[in-house]
Amino acid sequence: MSGSGAGADPTLQGVDTEAISNVVYFAPYLQYKIDEKWELASSVVTGYLNRDPLLNVEVESDLGYELDFKLSYALKKGVVWQTGLGLLMPGKAFEGDGTLDSKFSYGMSTKAAISF
């Protein structure tokens, strides 16, 4: 997939963090239903830039990897509790022209969903 670069400001010399375009993503995932109440899910996401996000600067195309894990528990029909963990290992593209810092990062979320 590639986009038009919407949100890019040609007068800025930094990375455009407002829009993600001109990227190809690959994101396989697995889901495993343990029983009627419990479910596990995981995915790995990687991406590659189709063109440089910085003006007049060569940037690596590797965006790195993200690993996501999710555990869901169905309290009863229509009520689900989910907890997720995301691990981000940024690639060379996040370093821009070598002057930007890119480090391992993680995030955790939990939520309750009620549907009727």
Side-chain angles (χ1 to χ4, degrees), residues 16-37:
D16 179 13
T17 58
E18 299 299 318
I20 298 176
S21 61
N22 299 305
V23 177
V24 174
Y25 292 101
F26 180 68
Y29 69 94
L30 294 170
Q31 283 184 272
Y32 178 68
K33 189 165 186 144
I34 299 169
D35 59 27
E36 292 299 314
K37 294 189 178 266

Side-chain angles (χ1 to χ4, degrees), residues 15-98:
V15 175
D16 179 13
T17 58
E18 299 299 318
I20 298 176
S21 61
N22 299 305
V23 177
V24 174
Y25 292 101
F26 180 68
Y29 69 94
L30 294 170
Q31 283 184 272
Y32 178 68
K33 189 165 186 144
I34 299 169
D35 59 27
E36 292 299 314
K37 294 189 178 266
W38 292 94
E39 183 175 291
L40 283 171
S42 66
S43 66
V44 61
V45 182
T46 188
Y48 296 92
L49 294 173
N50 287 334
R51 68 176 187 179
D52 292 339
L54 297 173
L55 295 174
N56 304 320
V57 177
E58 287 289 322
V59 175
E60 296 283 334
S61 63
D62 176 31
L63 290 175
Y65 294 91
E66 179 177 336
L67 298 173
D68 295 318
F69 304 96
K70 180 175 69 172
L71 178 64
S72 300
Y73 177 71
L75 299 166
K76 60 182 183 176
K77 184 175 176 151
V79 180
V80 178
W81 184 276
Q82 293 181 342
T83 299
L85 175 67
L87 308 171
L88 177 64
M89 290 134 303
K92 293 284 186 183
F94 286 96
E95 294 176 4
D97 59 355

